[in-house]
């Protein structure tokens, strides 16, 4: 099943969607592990000049198959972490574009992986599940009836991955990621964005208007755990990987109200009001608790961050950053 990473000389790594929520943290983690010059970051827009030293960065629209092949050959790429994509809420604003980017982009990556014998990571999502899926302890194999274009593209992508792995021996690996919470980039148009925005608003204004109901309970994961899961999956021996569509993976599940209560342990004055919008229906179609026993059995997955640890770390990292913004705002 594909070429083991142990038999491949150390080639370079390409990250698509490197300016996104996961991509930006993944580039940092990969450069730390493999060396800055071994990791080529790419996204569809130029990087703003920040004065910091820029390592290899390329503009790439993943729908451009020739542009992708040019990068693979120019940098002698051996592995692609394919993060470029449009998230659930944003996708509902332009479903055709969501399909084009998410499906044709992945198709180009898998075709290239077949031709150049590349290893590939690609993120699926709990969005592949729908209203008929068991909501609690959602099994690895179950009904998948997504109600968003994003979820349809992720389900289609899982079928692609499974096909390319079994038909062509492509070593593509995937995780059905839950909502991801992080502090290094602002939210990017997902239904779980409330679990990130709330921290910025709690620090800046002491209040937040949440776009889902207080009892809305969703599977979530801290970015540190997500990065750990991606790297552990990609380093597992091929024989350990028994799922070539995408693995269920979980860390914590909590409701919006439970998140608010945990933040209030640090910021007692913080208040949250609830104003559900179109994203409520998307959240309601997703599971509340995921069974990830297959990932834990196959390649030893274990999460580290629970809700108290996530809230403490987010506030610790965001307060100085958002605090500075608040000071600047106060001086205006
Ligand atoms: C989204 N953050 O909300 C993504 C993720 C499970 C949610 O797929 O679209």
């Amino acid at each position: 099943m594909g070429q083991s990473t142990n038999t491949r000389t150390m080639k370079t790594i390409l990250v698509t969607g490197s300016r996104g929520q996961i991509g930006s943290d993944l580039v940092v983690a990969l450069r730390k592990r493999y060396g800055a010059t071994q990791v080529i970051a790419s996204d569809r827009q130029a990087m703003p000049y920040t004065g910091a030293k820029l390592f290899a960065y390329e503009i790439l629209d993943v729908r451009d198959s020739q542009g992708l092949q040019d990068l693979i050959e120019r940098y002698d790429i051996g592995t692609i972490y394919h993060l470029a994509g449009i998230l659930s809420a944003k996708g509902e604003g332009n479903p055709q574009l969501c399909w084009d980017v998410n499906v044709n982009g992945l198709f180009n990556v898998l075709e290239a992986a077949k031709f150049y014998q590349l290893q590939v990571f690609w993120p699926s999502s709990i969005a592949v599940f729908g209203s008929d899926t068991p909501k609690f302890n959602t099994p690895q194999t179950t009904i998948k009836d997504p109600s968003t274009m994003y979820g349809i593209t992720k389900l289609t992508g899982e079928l692609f991955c499974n096909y390319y792995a079994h038909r062509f021996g492509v070593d593509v690996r995937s995780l059905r990621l839950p909502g991801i919470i992080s502090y290094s980039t602002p939210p990017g148009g997902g239904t779980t964005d409330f679990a990130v925005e709330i921290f910025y608003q709690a620090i800046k204004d002491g209040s937040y208007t949440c776009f889902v109901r207080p009892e809305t309970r969703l599977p979530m994961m801290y970015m540190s755990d997500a990065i750990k899961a991606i790297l552990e999956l990609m380093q597992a021996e091929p024989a350990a990987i028994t799922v070539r569509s995408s693995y269920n993976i979980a860390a914590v599940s909590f409701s919006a109200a439970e998140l608010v209560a945990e933040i209030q342990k640090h910021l007692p004055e913080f208040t949250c009001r609830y104003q559900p919008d179109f994203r409520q229906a998307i959240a309601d179609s997703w599971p509340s608790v995921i069974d990830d026993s297959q990932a834990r059995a196959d390649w030893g997955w274990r999460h580290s961050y629970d809700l108290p640890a996530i809230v403490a770390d987010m506030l610790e990292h965001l307060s100085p950053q958002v605090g500075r913004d608040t000071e600047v705002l106060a001086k205006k």
Side-chain angles (χ1 to χ4, degrees):
M1 178 63 64
Q3 191 182 8
S4 156
T5 48
N6 300 331
T7 60
R8 182 182 294 122
T9 53
M10 185 60 212
K11 293 198 164 193
T12 47
I13 294 167
L14 173 66
V15 178
T16 70
S18 65
R19 294 184 62 197
Q21 184 195 22
I22 299 175
S24 51
D25 281 308
L26 188 57
V27 165
V28 172
L30 288 168
R31 284 179 169 161
K32 197 169 166 190
R33 179 175 293 234
Y34 298 108
T37 57
Q38 286 298 107
V39 182
I40 316 304
S42 72
D43 210 309
R44 60 188 176 80
Q45 287 173 332
M47 277 289 271
Y49 179 67
T50 61
K53 176 171 173 49
L54 250 190
F55 292 100
Y57 180 87
E58 294 286 346
I59 294 176
L60 172 69
D61 182 325
V62 291
R63 295 171 293 177
D64 170 12
S65 60
Q66 189 56 57
L68 173 62
Q69 289 169 37
D70 291 346
L71 286 188
I72 291 168
E73 293 186 3
R74 190 186 328 158
Y75 288 101
D76 192 22
I77 300 292
T79 304
I80 297 179
Y81 289 79
H82 178 43
L83 279 300
I86 294 176
L87 295 177
S88 58
K90 199 168 173 186
E92 289 308 289
N94 189 336
Q96 295 76 13
L97 180 64
C98 184
W99 174 271
D100 191 15
V101 172
N102 292 6
V103 173
N104 294 326
L106 176 60
F107 182 75
N108 289 339
V109 167
L110 291 173
E111 277 293 296
K114 179 178 75 166
F115 185 78
Y116 294 100
Q117 286 204 311
L118 309 178
Q119 190 189 31
V120 176
F121 172 76
W122 172 72
S124 182
S125 162
I126 61 169
V128 298
F129 300 120
S131 306
D132 295 327
T133 306
K135 264 201 173 311
F136 288 87
N137 298 321
T138 305
Q140 174 68 44
T141 303
T142 185
I143 298 165
K144 293 186 281 293
D145 56 339
S147 58
T148 61
M149 178 57 88
Y150 172 73
I152 292 167
T153 70
K154 290 299 183 182
L155 183 52
T156 304
E158 290 192 6
L159 296 172
F160 275 179
C161 291
N162 197 55
Y163 179 79
Y164 273 79
H166 290 99
R167 177 77 170 66
F168 301 116
V170 172
D171 187 7
V172 52
R173 306 181 186 192
S174 179
L175 298 171
R176 284 177 187 148
L177 293 175
I180 304 296
I181 298 173
S182 67
Y183 52 81
S184 52
T185 51
T191 301
T192 56
D193 285 359
F194 70 89
V196 178
E197 292 171 354
I198 194 168
F199 289 97
Y200 287 83
Q201 293 305 115
I203 296 164
K204 201 174 281 185
D205 303 333
S207 65
Y208 178 60
T209 301
C210 183
F211 56 74
V212 293
R213 287 190 301 271
E215 68 276 14
T216 305
R217 176 180 300 275
L218 288 171
M220 297 278 184
M221 183 181 286
Y222 203 39
M223 179 63 80
S224 304
D225 272 337
I227 298 296
K228 180 171 84 164
I230 292 167
L231 297 184
E232 287 178 356
L233 173 69
M234 291 295 276
Q235 265 130 44
E237 282 305 313
I241 309 297
T242 65
V243 173
R244 288 289 180 172
S245 49
S246 191
Y247 275 99
N248 277 9
I249 191 155
V252 290
S253 285
F254 51 77
S255 67
E258 287 166 341
L259 177 56
V260 169
E262 192 62 37
I263 292 173
Q264 286 169 336
K265 289 179 186 173
H266 299 260
L267 304 171
E269 306 303 311
F270 171 58
T271 59
C272 181
R273 66 192 189 94
Y274 298 89
Q275 205 168 318
D277 66 16
F278 75 98
R279 290 166 285 192
Q280 183 67 57
I282 298 175
D284 289 345
S285 72
W286 291 350
S288 295
V289 181
I290 297 287
D291 170 3
D292 63 355
S293 51
Q294 191 76 51
R296 291 173 189 260
D298 284 4
W299 43 277
W301 166 242
R302 297 288 179 278
H303 73 278
S304 303
Y305 284 79
D306 60 8
L307 178 58
I310 291 171
V311 170
D313 203 64
M314 281 291 284
L315 292 175
E316 183 190 329
H317 282 91
L318 269 182
S319 298
Q321 172 188 330
V322 174
R324 271 198 306 278
D325 296 348
T326 308
E327 281 161 26
V328 166
L329 285 175
K331 286 178 186 148
K332 282 183 178 172

